[in-house]
Amino acid sequence: MNRPTASRRLPWLDISRGLALCAMIVYHFCFDLQWFGVIKADPYHSPVWTTSRTLIITSFLLIVGISLFVARVRDISPRSFWLRIVKITVCAAIVSFATYFLFPESFIYFGVLHFIAIASILAWPFAARPRFALIFGIIIVLAGVTFSHPLFNPRALSLIGFVTELPRTEDYVPLFPWLGIVLIGIGIAPSLPIRKEITSPPGRTARLLIWMGQRSLWVYMLHQPILIAALWSTLAMVR
């Protein structure tokens, strides 16, 4: 969870994170286009949109799980782990605050950053037991996609999952089934080349993706304000 020095980075993991960020940026750009009325789309119900969102979130959360395992193998300090959690939590609070003013009826109260902060804490003990994490992760995913009950519909309980009606919010990532994806990431991590460190990856594209992957939290926080400002100014000039 802490950011290792450049010599200890896993470029393939940073590249994977950078690719997931690129997919997210494209998705949000398309969302912003429909928000400004440039295109007509239904991001909340269209299978193309919902499937794209599911795949993007899945990729991010698998990487979260793999990163937790790498952090455990490298024996990071508790201070580094909790500092990362605090940063994510503060950013999650900023997202809630900002979206409350933009979308007061559907502000983000438990989105992907809120989830990652809590899921990282819950999944951390499993990072030392990847086989158990894989089994438990599969169980959580299956439970999350097969079981539902109206008891979990109120906002206070909806963060657990199991809802029968999706809450009205712009981003919703409940613990069930998504915690299972993080655990599955931990479970598959031992089969990946986590000890193979490449200090000079080739190509500009790879270096750009690595740069993004190393700064994923800041890219996540800044990309939407930049996209919205750019679209607003462009449309203002055109119209």
Side-chain angles (χ1 to χ4, degrees):
M1 291 298 295
N2 66 327
R3 197 159 115 187
T5 60
S7 62
R8 298 190 65 212
R9 299 293 305 193
L10 295 176
W12 65 266
L13 188 57
D14 286 327
I15 289 172
S16 299
R17 192 179 290 110
L19 286 170
L21 285 167
C22 288
M24 176 197 68
I25 291 170
V26 170
Y27 177 90
H28 283 161
F29 179 69
C30 294
F31 180 91
D32 295 339
L33 287 176
Q34 69 85 31
W35 189 44
F36 279 103
V38 177
I39 63 173
K40 291 183 178 180
D42 183 3
Y44 303 103
H45 303 98
S46 168
V48 174
W49 283 79
T50 56
T51 300
S52 298
R53 178 183 182 274
T54 298
L55 291 175
I56 292 169
I57 294 177
T58 298
S59 64
F60 269 115
L61 299 187
L62 283 173
I63 292 170
V64 169
I66 295 168
S67 299
L68 286 171
F69 179 80
V70 172
R72 174 69 78 172
V73 169
R74 292 182 171 179
D75 195 26
I76 67 163
S77 67
R79 180 181 180 277
S80 296
F81 176 82
W82 287 108
L83 181 60
R84 182 65 172 169
I85 297 299
V86 169
K87 289 180 180 178
I88 296 172
T89 302
V90 170
C91 289
I94 293 172
V95 168
S96 292
F97 182 79
T99 56
Y100 182 80
F101 286 96
L102 288 173
F103 314 102
E105 300 298 324
S106 59
F107 75 98
I108 298 173
Y109 66 91
F110 199 75
V112 66
L113 290 183
H114 306 71
F115 169 86
I116 289 175
I118 293 179
S120 296
I121 297 171
L122 295 177
W124 180 245
F126 292 91
R129 302 171 179 84
R131 291 184 180 178
F132 185 62
L134 180 61
I135 296 171
F136 200 46
I138 293 173
I139 293 173
I140 290 177
V141 170
L142 292 176
V145 300
T146 59
F147 175 75
S148 61
H149 194 280
L151 173 68
F152 297 92
N153 287 347
R155 179 171 291 178
L157 295 177
S158 63
L159 59 89
I160 298 172
F162 303 133
V163 297
T164 58
E165 297 178 358
L166 289 176
R168 190 175 178 186
T169 178
E170 296 301 317
D171 189 25
Y172 175 58
V173 186
L175 294 173
F176 284 80
W178 294 110
L179 178 59
I181 301 298
V182 175
L183 294 177
I184 290 173
I186 292 174
I188 65 174
S191 64
L192 300 174
I194 63 169
R195 292 178 176 83
K196 185 177 181 181
E197 301 173 3
I198 305 173
T199 56
S200 56
R204 290 184 179 179
T205 301
R207 288 195 293 271
L208 175 60
L209 291 173
I210 288 171
W211 183 89
M212 293 176 65
Q214 292 176 348
R215 296 159 180 83
S216 56
L217 185 58
W218 298 114
V219 173
Y220 180 87
M221 292 297 293
L222 295 175
H223 81 282
Q224 269 292 58
I226 292 173
L227 287 177
I228 291 173
L231 273 174
W232 181 84
S233 58
T234 300
L235 292 175
M237 289 187 294
V238 171
R239 294 172 181 174

